[in-house]
Amino acid sequence: MAEPKRRGRLTVYLGGAPGVGKTYAMLGEARRRCARGTDVVVGYVETHGRPHTEQQLEGLEVVPRREVEYRDTVFTELDTDAVIARRPDVVCIDELAHTNVPGSPRSKRAEDVELIRAAGIDVVTTVNIQHLESLNDEVERITGVRQRETVPDEVVRTADQIELVDMSPEALRRRMAHGNIYRADNIDASLTSYFRVGNLTALRELALLWLADRVDDALGDYRRAHRIEHTWPTKERIVVAVTGGVESETLLRRGARLAQRAAGSELLVVHVIAADGLRVDAPARIARLQQLAASLGGTFHSVSGEEVSEAVVDFATAANATMIVVGVSRHGRLRQLFTGTTGDRIASLAGAIDVHLVTHDEVSRSTAWRRPALSPLSRARQVAGWLAAMLLPVASTLVLQALDETHQLPLAEMLFLAGTVVVALVGGLLPALAAALLSFLALNLFFTAPTGRLAVAEPANVVSLVVYVTVAVGVATVVDRASRRAADALRARTEAATMSALSRSVLTGQDTAEAIVARLRETFGQVSVSLLRRDPTGWSVVAAAGGPCAATPDAGDTRVAVDEHHTLALCGEPLRATDRRVLEAFATQTSLVLEYRRLRAREERAATLESAEATATALLRAVSHDLRTPLATIRASVDGLAHGADLDPDDRADLDRSLESATARLERLIDDLLDLSRVQAGLVRPRLAPRSLEEVLPLAVTGIDGPVRLELDEDAPMVVTDAGLLERVVANLVANAVRVSAGAPVRVLVHALADSVDVLVVDRGPGVPPAERERMFEPFQRLGDTSHGGLGLGLAVARGLSEAVGATLGAEDTPGGGLTMVLSLPRADVARPEPAGAGGAAGRSSSSDTGGAP
């Protein structure tokens, strides 16, 4: 029988962005294998005209490509049949995610690779992280570019070997600027769009995280394949076992400190729930632990288990943990002597996992003993049970004596046992025990010799009576426990349904104070429920269901504190102690709703004040900056006219024109001041509306004294902005760029992203060091600019007005020298909340003396 053909191995060179050197690395591997005597051919390689890549290709055998004609144009593709016919040991195939030209035998190059591997040929290929199908949406949000050519993650994930080709964003941009990736005429556009530092950093992180997941998967597969159950300390993973008790926060913080000692370590918090689902800790306390774990950088996990120590160790083993943090037992020494401690049991089961015992303030404090509830049954059933306990033994005795069965002890025991079971089902444990005792006395008096006396003549009857009492007590205990568990299960199911409804309301955002009190009234069947708030003058009702039941918390039948200022008051049948847990969950939910209300109101007020302050500050700076020039012109013109009696008509006309122009300019500035007063009063807001950049940008660059090149794409999407304020911002930026560019043309570009549109103002000036870029947006910062006519307010004004209309303004290096100002505007076709900012002179174009930052 012939052996099955070996499937070819797949090696993938994975990169974070074009130009990091994947093809170069693949060809380098091909040359090394050739030097070792391996038969290697190149099936398809795209050099993109890069000289270093072309040098790597020299000396390697290249399989001729197949020509495909499509729409009167001839394209070349990988010739899969020729590669299989050549039957090399290894074939190098570039661009795994490539889509073949229509008319090819297969639609995707990945399908060609699978066919070649099926023929037993090893394949070495390349792919960029942005071409993976699962990351397509993330890449589009980052770069604004939708990748049309993708490959399923499974193709790359199941590769025999994955090599990450990495390069820092700065080094990649230097390669681009040196012309090692694209042609010179594409360098500026690429560096200011796709190859921006932020984009490259995000893509690099995506590649590292995706490969890290692949490594973890491979390690897990290897451990499972080799049945390795003990942990491998690949990195520090610390598991903190919490009970939900008061000491849990101490354990969690100690575990977080241990995790911080090792870089890259993980903190996992585990809480064990009883497998029957009936024993649940206080939801409020568990919620606090979840919030604390998140704030400390850990993750919270709830697991189910019959035995706490086994569940904790199983979780730690599955997580490949290196340490378990557990608290010292709170139980007294006597109990520890007989039952042991959870920490000891975890240490005995942990194996190679370290166990860290943490002491706390609750050590050796015996928990207060609480008398268990006598019965979960209602009062009516308990009364019925006691009556049955008294009457059934008497009735059974009378029936047996009427039947003259005084010598049939087994029959009597069975009848009395059945009565005891009936009593247990009706009234619970204590009535059943009383029935068993009365039945024992009746059996002794009437059915064992000598009758009529509490004595037993025959030893066999003694054994029979003892067995009867034992069985009766055991059956009564089991029946009572089953009834308790049934009641607990019903209550747990009700609580779970209530908690689920609360969770759904949180996730769907439907929770309000009114909804919570209405749901609370419905859940507990109360007459009315009120949420009360304590003010300096007393209590007031925030929300009520069924009418306000109380003006103060003391007037309610049941009350629970929400926070230090709010209390829930319930009017109706008092709640049982077992219902308090659900009531606390409602109180926690109410607290979250109130906190959300406060935060939302505070955020709205802060956004309004911040936007108003930014606009007011920007306009004040602009006005104070621009007032000097028209005032000086007016004064000089007035002085000339007042003392120039001998001026000729032409000079007088020039002074009149200067006076008129300066007066008009001063009038516009006064209008700005009036607008500012309206802004501070909250009466003026930016007129935000969808605007086309084709309407705004040409006006912004018109009248700029210097070479400006506007490169505006007609397909650029519309933006949400105030046209007048945007025009002023762009005019300031362009004027600044012209002043520092020393005659070099200033380019104004537009780049569309997924949720914004960037307006780029590119200059060829001296640039600004990265450490100084934020400072140049502050008032009176000129950073070496010695030109006249400005006080260093231009960029401060531009930044303030940008924030007022919901835009952002930043700076980046211009490849080859200079500075690029990046103004990001929200797209009109992306839904977003309207900013609560205000602006002056909205919808009206205004000019500005653009002195200031470079």
Side-chain angles (χ1 to χ4, degrees):
M1 183 177 178
E3 294 184 0
K5 183 181 297 184
R6 183 188 72 88
R7 180 176 175 80
R9 291 173 55 84
L10 177 62
T11 302
V12 177
Y13 282 86
L14 176 68
V20 295
K22 302 178 303 301
T23 305
Y24 186 91
M26 178 185 70
L27 294 177
E29 174 67 16
R31 299 177 71 89
R32 286 190 294 272
R33 295 196 185 193
C34 282
R36 295 195 297 266
T38 305
D39 184 13
V40 181
V41 300
V42 175
Y44 186 98
V45 164
E46 186 60 62
T47 64
H48 298 287
R50 300 166 187 168
H52 298 293
T53 306
E54 292 176 349
Q55 290 175 5
Q56 286 286 82
L57 193 57
E58 294 177 358
L60 294 175
E61 179 184 349
V62 179
V63 176
R65 300 183 184 181
R66 179 172 48 82
E67 295 184 350
V68 180
E69 184 176 353
Y70 178 66
R71 292 184 177 177
D72 299 329
T73 303
V74 177
F75 298 90
T76 60
E77 292 286 1
L78 169 67
D79 195 338
T80 304
D81 296 335
V83 171
I84 296 176
R86 170 64 175 75
R87 298 198 61 79
D89 296 330
V90 180
V91 58
C92 296
I93 301 175
D94 208 3
E95 299 179 358
L96 179 63
H98 172 73
T99 301
N100 294 330
V101 176
S104 301
R106 285 157 293 278
S107 61
K108 302 287 291 185
R109 183 164 294 166
E111 299 174 9
D112 295 327
V113 168
E114 288 299 312
L115 190 61
I116 293 173
R117 292 180 64 195
I121 303 173
D122 295 343
V123 177
V124 182
T125 186
T126 65
V127 70
N128 281 329
I129 193 68
Q130 67 265 26
H131 293 296
L132 296 182
E133 182 65 41
S134 66
L135 302 178
N136 203 2
D137 294 337
E138 285 78 359
V139 172
E140 183 181 10
R141 282 194 291 268
I142 293 170
T143 65
V145 178
R146 184 75 176 180
Q147 298 295 332
R148 300 185 182 278
E149 294 188 331
T150 59
V151 62
D153 289 44
E154 192 65 19
V155 175
V156 182
R157 187 177 293 276
T158 56
D160 299 280
Q161 185 176 353
I162 301 177
E163 295 284 348
L164 179 64
V165 184
D166 191 22
M167 182 176 292
S168 68
E170 293 78 9
L172 184 56
R173 285 171 61 87
R174 284 196 298 271
R175 288 195 65 195
M176 173 73 72
H178 293 159
N180 294 332
I181 300 177
Y182 291 153
R183 296 191 306 270
D185 55 349
N186 292 333
I187 292 177
D188 285 348
S190 298
L191 286 174
T192 55
S193 56
Y194 191 91
F195 283 82
R196 293 164 63 179
V197 173
N199 292 355
L200 297 178
T201 302
L203 292 174
R204 186 188 191 193
E205 184 178 8
L206 278 180
L208 293 172
L209 292 175
W210 189 92
L211 189 60
D213 289 341
R214 169 68 172 81
V215 172
D216 278 344
D217 291 343
L219 178 60
D221 293 341
Y222 181 85
R223 292 180 62 206
R224 285 188 293 270
H226 291 77
R227 298 181 179 179
I228 299 173
E229 297 181 356
H230 59 275
T231 59
W232 282 6
T234 53
K235 68 176 180 179
E236 290 293 330
R237 288 186 176 92
I238 297 176
V239 173
V240 180
V242 296
T243 63
V246 292
E247 78 283 356
S248 297
E249 294 186 6
T250 301
L251 300 183
L252 212 164
R253 291 190 174 92
R254 181 66 60 85
R257 289 198 297 270
L258 293 173
Q260 292 170 358
R261 296 177 183 175
S265 59
E266 293 183 17
L267 176 66
L268 300 93
V269 184
V270 59
H271 172 246
V272 180
I273 302 173
D276 54 15
L278 303 181
R279 190 176 68 251
V280 181
D281 295 303
R285 187 173 296 168
I286 298 299
R288 287 196 299 270
L289 288 177
Q290 291 175 340
Q291 295 174 356
L292 180 59
S295 65
L296 295 174
T299 56
F300 192 91
H301 306 267
S302 293
V303 299
S304 177
E306 291 285 352
E307 213 283 323
V308 173
S309 56
E310 292 181 0
V312 171
V313 174
D314 289 344
F315 175 84
T317 303
N320 200 22
T322 56
M323 180 184 295
I324 300 175
V325 177
V326 63
V328 177
S329 176
R330 293 180 296 170
H331 300 310
R333 294 182 179 179
L334 183 62
R335 181 169 178 178
Q336 293 182 30
L337 178 64
F338 287 99
T339 64
T341 66
T342 301
D344 294 338
R345 289 191 290 272
I346 290 177
S348 64
L349 297 172
I353 305 176
D354 296 337
V355 178
H356 189 85
L357 287 176
V358 177
T359 187
H360 48 83
D361 294 339
E362 299 300 316
V363 173
S364 298
R365 290 185 185 177
S366 299
T367 57
W369 182 83
R370 295 178 299 175
R371 185 178 64 180
L374 295 180
S375 176
L377 304 177
S378 64
R379 185 178 300 275
R381 287 189 59 180
Q382 293 183 52
V383 171
W386 282 108
L387 291 176
M390 299 296 107
L391 298 177
L392 282 180
V394 175
S396 299
T397 301
L398 295 176
V399 170
L400 290 172
Q401 286 184 339
L403 296 175
D404 193 21
E405 296 290 347
T406 56
H407 299 293
Q408 298 295 329
L409 181 60
L411 179 60
E413 290 177 342
M414 293 298 294
L415 186 59
F416 282 116
L417 182 60
T420 302
V421 171
V422 171
V423 172
L425 289 174
V426 174
L429 179 60
L430 291 181
L433 294 179
L437 178 60
L438 291 178
S439 299
F440 171 79
L441 295 176
L443 288 171
N444 195 350
L445 285 172
F446 300 106
F447 302 102
T448 58
T451 58
R453 294 182 354 188
L454 293 176
V456 181
E458 298 182 8
N461 290 339
V462 175
V463 175
S464 179
L465 290 175
V466 171
V467 170
Y468 165 75
V469 172
T470 303
V471 172
V473 172
V475 170
T477 303
V478 170
V479 171
D480 178 75
R481 182 171 298 178
S483 64
R484 288 176 183 272
R485 288 301 179 95
D488 289 342
L490 180 60
R491 185 167 55 253
R493 186 171 63 181
T494 303
E495 292 179 4
T498 304
M499 301 298 183
S500 177
L502 284 175
S503 301
R504 283 196 303 271
S505 63
V506 173
L507 294 175
T508 56
Q510 299 174 349
D511 251 350
T512 62
E514 292 76 9
I516 286 181
V517 295
R519 192 181 303 117
L520 188 58
R521 175 174 174 261
E522 178 183 355
T523 300
F524 295 108
Q526 298 291 297
V527 175
S528 60
V529 177
S530 296
L531 174 61
L532 305 176
R533 179 177 59 225
R534 182 170 56 190
D535 299 321
T537 58
W539 291 92
S540 60
V541 178
V542 177
C549 70
T552 63
D554 294 336
D557 298 309
T558 305
R559 56 188 178 274
V560 60
V562 174
D563 54 34
E564 59 181 2
H565 299 295
H566 294 82
T567 298
L568 283 169
L570 289 73
C571 295
E573 183 180 353
L575 301 182
R576 296 178 299 175
T578 54
D579 292 329
R580 296 289 300 185
R581 184 166 57 239
V582 180
L583 185 59
E584 289 178 1
F586 272 99
T588 302
Q589 184 67 16
T590 306
S591 175
L592 293 176
V593 169
L594 295 174
E595 181 65 19
Y596 175 72
R597 274 186 174 183
R598 287 192 292 267
L599 292 176
R600 184 171 58 185
R602 187 179 304 171
E603 182 181 4
E604 291 176 353
R605 289 196 300 269
T608 302
L609 293 175
E610 182 180 358
S611 181
E613 182 182 4
T615 305
T617 303
L619 287 177
L620 277 175
R621 291 170 181 170
V623 170
S624 62
H625 182 207
D626 294 345
L627 272 174
R628 296 177 180 271
T629 301
L631 283 175
T633 303
I634 291 173
R635 180 172 182 176
S637 300
V638 170
D639 288 344
L641 291 173
H643 300 90
D646 299 332
L647 290 175
D648 58 47
D650 291 338
D651 292 339
R652 185 175 295 275
D654 289 339
L655 289 176
D656 287 338
R657 284 193 296 270
S658 297
L659 182 61
E660 181 180 359
S661 175
T663 303
R665 185 175 181 185
L666 184 60
E667 187 178 30
R668 289 197 300 269
L669 295 177
I670 293 174
D671 288 339
D672 287 341
L673 281 174
L674 294 176
D675 287 337
L676 176 61
S677 66
R678 297 188 187 97
V679 169
Q680 291 176 330
L683 301 177
V684 178
R685 297 178 180 271
R687 295 172 185 169
L688 301 179
R691 300 286 184 179
S692 172
L693 293 176
E694 292 183 281
E695 303 173 1
V696 179
L697 296 186
L699 295 176
V701 302
T702 299
I704 300 295
D705 187 15
V708 179
R709 192 167 65 198
L710 178 59
E711 302 176 13
L712 181 58
D713 188 357
E714 296 180 356
D715 297 331
M718 300 182 71
V719 298
V720 178
T721 189
D722 182 300
L725 296 180
L726 177 60
E727 180 184 334
R728 179 165 184 168
V729 171
V730 176
N732 276 356
L733 298 179
V734 173
N736 281 335
V738 168
R739 189 175 65 252
V740 301
S741 293
V746 173
R747 303 171 62 202
V748 180
L749 312 173
V750 175
H751 177 59
L753 299 177
D755 56 358
S756 63
V757 177
D758 288 355
V759 177
L760 309 177
V761 180
V762 183
D763 67 53
R764 290 295 180 179
V768 177
E772 301 288 340
R773 287 178 190 163
E774 276 304 311
R775 194 162 67 89
M776 74 181 180
F777 289 103
E778 298 176 2
F780 307 106
Q781 300 297 326
R782 303 188 64 183
L783 302 183
D785 183 6
T786 58
S787 60
H788 299 287
L791 294 177
L793 293 178
L795 288 184
V797 171
R799 170 68 71 85
L801 295 179
S802 300
E803 294 175 350
V805 297
T808 60
L809 180 62
E812 296 179 355
D813 284 326
T814 299
L819 196 68
T820 298
M821 306 302 297
V822 182
L823 178 65
S824 296
L825 300 160
R827 289 178 58 146
D829 53 1
V830 177
R832 65 185 72 247
E834 181 179 349
R844 171 175 54 81
S845 176
S846 58
S847 62
S848 172
D849 181 9
T850 54

